[in-house]
């Protein structure tokens, strides 16, 4: 089993290290050929407008949509935005991968001064300290399974083989989300 | 129920982590900020004049007009950084009140204090600072900087100083990692930086914060070279909006920064960009005009 991390921009190295720390092979994915070589994909944190432009420029949009239709994909922060079916506060021409039937709002918690660390509570009882950096908020999530909450708010979800989270587990060394993601592979 | 812990060191350096592999572009108004965002910039740096104009026009360069910063913040959805003068903690207080996402305590502006830098620990907003060598980078981190950029020589379009500074910083880190534990005490003395921080850098083989390159990057190949040398990302100042076709050049520098190991992709990105900024050779600059010598 090999997990890929989309490596166009953002903190992909931290996700590669998190996956390797769980004893699973990980590799950077920058093009459609590298995408074909992995069994699942993480779309990391970064600047979502930049990542979505790079996805288009380098011909990755349709390969990523096909991949996400059948294989496991986890998106954190910018990755959550890209996996959402609807995004509020996005540029008019922002191309999304989609697949998660949720509405997400960009920079919803505010600018950098409102960025924070906090304990998220997974529905299986685990709590971990994670970072929310200019984080997106999951506004509507009628059809999806809730994976984690911060205070009373849903911050991580699952729908079929897709998972998304508002926060960054990879910055604080938290790995529970990665474990849940890996355990969903067949 | 757990609380939100804002402005922790991890949260401050965390935003810089998200900018890695990206290009941060200098902009002087909302129109340029929108061009930068559309080209794929990960953030914009708001300032009154780009370094090439500061250099050409002379005079004291200061923090931007708050109206201009507001206008830029309101025009884009990507992070907005702004520059304060070295040591000018009140300009930094004003920028924090304007809710910029990052403050650059920058040698490109005229220093306000020739002895002290800003005590950055006292702020909730994170800071990026310039450095020409490892000791300088570690002193800035000791003062609370959450991100470092090598200085280069801003406003020249000559990448040679940027090359020198990133090679110096990363070379000094490699040399530090090769030292034995008992040699690190003297290394700290020579670097003029705290021993605990020196020891951490020696052990990790990297700075504890993100390291970008700045000062003189003008072409896609310049940006890719900085990435191949080991930078986490690139600041481009005058290189974009002092060139013949800013939209095309901005997008090309973003592409080359992403595909920095792929010569074919860099070649494609370098085509049809029109005139690069004319530039000045750093070796032709009279000594008092070198911005990288500001800060210590």
């Amino acid at each position: 089993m090999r997990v890929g991390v989309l490596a166009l921009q953002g903190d992909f190295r931290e996700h590669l290290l998190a996956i390797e720390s769980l004893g699973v092979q990980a590799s950077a994915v920058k093009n459609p050929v590298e995408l074909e070589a992995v069994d699942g994909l993480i779309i990391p944190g970064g600047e979502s407008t930049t990542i979505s432009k790079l996805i288009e420029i380098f011909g990755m949009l349709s390969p990523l949509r096909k991949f996400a239709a059948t294989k496991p994909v986890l998106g954190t922060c910018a990755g959550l935005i890209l996996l959402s079916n609807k995004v509020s506060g996005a540029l008019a021409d922002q191309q999304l991968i989609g697949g998660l039937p949720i509405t997400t709002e960009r920079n919803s918690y505010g600018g950098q001064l409102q960025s924070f660390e906090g304990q998220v509570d997974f529905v299986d009882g685990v709590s971990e300290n994670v970072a929310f950096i200019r984080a997106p908020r999951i506004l509507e999530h009628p059809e999806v399974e809730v994976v984690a909450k911060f205070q009373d708010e849903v911050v991580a979800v699952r729908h079929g083989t897709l998972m998304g989270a508002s926060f960054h587990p990879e910055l604080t060394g938290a790995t529970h989300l990665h474990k849940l993601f890996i355990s969903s592979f067949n | 129920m757990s609380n939100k812990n804002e402005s922790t060191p991890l949260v401050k350096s965390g935003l810089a982590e998200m900018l890695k592999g990206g290009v941060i572009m200098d902009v002087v108004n909302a129109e340029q900020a929108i061009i930068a965002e559309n080209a794929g910039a990960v953030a914009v740096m708001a300032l009154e004049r780009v370094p090439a104009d500061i250099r050409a026009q002379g005079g004291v360069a200061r923090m931007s007009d708050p109206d201009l910063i507001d206008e830029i913040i309101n025009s884009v959805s990507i992070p907005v950084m702004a520059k304060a003068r070295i040591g000018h903690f009140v300009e930094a207080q004003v920028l924090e009140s304007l809710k910029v996402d990052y403050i650059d305590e920058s040698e490109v502006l005229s220093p306000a204090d020739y002895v002290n830098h800003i005590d950055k620990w006292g702020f909730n907003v994170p800071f990026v600072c310039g450095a020409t060598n490892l000791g300088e980078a570690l002193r800035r981190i000791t003062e609370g900087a959450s991100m470092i950029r090598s200085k280069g020589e801003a406003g020249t379009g000559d990448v040679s100083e940027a090359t020198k500074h990133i090679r110096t910083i990363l070379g000094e880190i490699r040399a530090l990692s090769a030292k034995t534990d008992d040699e690190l005490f003297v290394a700290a003395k020579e670097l003029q930086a705290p021993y605990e921080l020196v020891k951490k850098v020696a052990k990790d083989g990297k700075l504890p914060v993100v390291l970008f390159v700045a000062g003189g990057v003008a072409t896609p190949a310049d940006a890719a070279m900085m990435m191949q040398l080991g930078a986490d990302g690139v600041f481009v100042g005058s290189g974009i909006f002092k060139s013949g076709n800013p939209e095309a050049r901005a997008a090309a520098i973003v592409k080359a920064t992403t595909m920095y190991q792929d010569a074919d992709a860099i070649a494609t990105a370098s085509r049809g960009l029109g005139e690069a900024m004319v530039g000045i050779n750093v070796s032709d600059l009279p000594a008092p005009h070198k911005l990288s010598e500001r800060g210590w």
Side-chain angles (χ1 to χ4, degrees), chain A residues 9 14 30 106 117 134, chain B residues 5 8 18 20 77 258:
Chain A
Q9 192 272 315
E14 285 64 26
K30 273 193 166 183
R106 282 187 67 207
E117 284 179 68
R134 287 172 50 94
Chain B
N5 300 311
T8 62
M18 296 313 135
K20 286 190 297 193
S77 65
T258 305

Side-chain angles (χ1 to χ4, degrees), chain B:
Chain B
M1 192 181 285
S2 89
N3 293 319
K4 290 182 179 177
N5 300 311
E6 294 176 348
S7 300
T8 62
L10 182 123
V11 165
K12 288 175 164 183
S13 59
L15 177 56
E17 298 286 341
M18 296 313 135
L19 305 178
K20 286 190 297 193
V23 182
I24 300 170
M25 300 182 191
D26 277 1
V27 298
V28 300
N29 55 40
E31 187 194 342
Q32 291 186 352
I34 292 165
I35 291 173
E37 181 173 48
N38 285 331
V42 288
V44 290
M45 174 73 71
L47 72 177
E48 211 153 40
R49 294 177 283 168
V50 294
D53 288 336
I54 292 174
R55 200 176 273 293
Q57 294 160 6
V60 174
R62 310 179 178 91
M63 176 188 82
S64 296
D65 181 331
D67 285 341
L68 183 99
I69 293 171
D70 278 350
E71 187 189 309
I72 292 171
I73 288 174
N74 292 331
S75 69
V76 293
S77 65
I78 56 179
V80 175
M81 303 183 165
K83 286 186 193 286
R85 285 180 266 177
I86 289 175
H88 206 316
F89 52 86
V90 175
E91 281 190 351
Q93 290 165 7
V94 170
L95 292 174
E96 181 169 77
S97 135
L98 296 174
K99 300 188 169 57
V100 302
D101 293 298
Y102 243 89
I103 295 174
D104 184 0
E105 186 183 16
S106 178
E107 72 284 357
V108 169
L109 306 185
S110 308
D113 186 333
Y114 279 91
V115 179
N116 304 290
H117 281 252
I118 297 170
D119 173 5
K120 293 165 274 288
W121 294 112
F123 288 81
N124 291 321
V125 63
F127 281 74
V128 54
C129 288
T132 58
N133 57 51
L134 179 58
E136 200 178 351
L138 297 181
R139 288 191 289 281
R140 296 297 84 79
I141 293 167
T142 305
E143 296 156 1
S146 304
M147 177 180 185
I148 296 292
R149 54 171 177 76
S150 59
K151 284 181 182 172
E153 191 57 34
T156 61
D158 179 347
V159 81
S160 63
E161 290 289 291
T163 307
K164 181 164 95 187
H165 297 156
I166 190 74
R167 278 195 185 275
T168 301
I169 293 170
L170 294 174
E172 287 178 319
I173 292 174
R174 286 189 290 270
L176 203 57
S177 291
K179 288 187 188 294
T180 57
D181 284 353
D182 63 342
E183 291 170 336
L184 291 177
F185 300 103
V186 151
K189 186 193 78 175
E190 286 167 351
L191 288 166
Q192 299 179 47
Y195 167 72
E196 289 302 331
L197 191 52
V198 168
K199 194 176 156 192
K200 180 172 170 50
V201 171
K203 179 172 160 282
D204 297 346
K206 65 183 199 62
L207 290 181
V209 299
V210 167
L211 173 62
F212 270 48
V213 163
V217 174
T219 70
D222 288 349
M225 178 176 167
M226 296 302 112
M227 295 299 289
Q228 287 195 23
L229 284 172
D232 288 320
V234 182
F235 282 87
V236 186
S238 321
I240 290 171
F241 290 102
K242 285 286 157 189
S243 74
N245 186 345
E247 288 88 348
R249 185 162 295 266
I253 291 176
V254 169
K255 287 181 212 168
T257 302
T258 305
M259 295 295 170
Y260 67 93
Q261 289 161 313
D262 180 343
D264 293 342
I266 300 164
T268 306
S270 304
R271 289 177 197 276
L273 299 182
E275 290 284 309
M277 73 179 280
V278 176
I280 316 166
N281 289 305
V282 170
S283 55
D284 297 339
L285 288 178
H289 295 254
K290 286 189 84 173
L291 303 176
S292 61
E293 288 169 6
R294 295 170 169 175
W296 35 88

